[in-house]
Amino acid sequence: MPDYGFRPVTRADLPMLAEWLATGQVALWWLDPEHQRALVVEDLDNPAMRQLIVLHDDTPIAYAQHYPAHEWPAPHFADLPQDAIAIDVFSGPAGMGHGGAWLRLLGDRLLQQAPLLVIDPDPRNLRAIRAYEKAGFSGHEIRPDGEGQPCRILTRRR
């Protein structure tokens, strides 16, 4: 099994993240790469948001952020337990095909802090959904997010 690790995002990572956000597979789901990059920058100083660079044998391959699900206005999370943790992720070019493995490891660690994890992909993003299912997430319910866009609610329990 490959060696995966995590480290906090730093400002030095921003050019790499901007590049990843602009790649075809990521830009397809994380619309407006410049706006997404601005959100990453904004969240660097938010104590509720944990932003991570995922490493594979010390090489950066993906981005993950996790936060208390009720910290942001997200109507699709309204019925989740108060201590649920939400996760958002995207891969860099070298990370494609690794998502299920490293997300399982991250999930294992986060489930030591909370009983429930949630991730909310676009229902059409089948590649991501397959990776999330490999990582132990499940669920088929489609709900509108805060902008009225459909998202599929996948959860993983302790």
Side-chain angles (χ1 to χ4, degrees), residues 123-152:
R124 299 168 296 169
N125 191 347
L126 300 180
R127 182 180 189 151
I129 290 168
R130 280 191 302 274
Y132 304 156
E133 289 172 341
K134 286 180 185 176
F137 288 80
S138 63
H140 296 283
E141 187 175 353
I142 308 295
R143 298 180 185 170
D145 66 13
E147 297 172 357
Q149 298 301 310
C151 59
R152 182 167 163 185

Side-chain angles (χ1 to χ4, degrees), residues 14-61:
L14 295 175
M16 175 183 68
L17 293 175
E19 193 175 300
W20 291 358
L21 283 162
T23 62
Q25 196 54 236
V26 177
L28 184 62
W29 305 109
W30 289 63
L31 304 177
D32 190 353
E34 189 52 40
H35 175 71
Q36 297 297 336
R37 183 196 160 291
L39 292 175
V40 169
V41 171
E42 181 180 312
D43 287 338
L44 280 172
D45 298 321
N46 186 327
M49 179 68 72
R50 300 286 184 252
Q51 297 172 296
L52 304 169
I53 297 295
V54 180
L55 305 168
H56 173 236
D57 296 327
D58 296 322
T59 299
I61 63 166

Side-chain angles (χ1 to χ4, degrees), residues 117-121 129 132-133 137-139 152-156:
L117 307 177
V118 63
I119 198 160
D120 59 350
I129 290 168
Y132 304 156
E133 289 172 341
F137 288 80
S138 63
R152 182 167 163 185
I153 305 299
L154 291 105
T155 58
R156 182 172 167 201

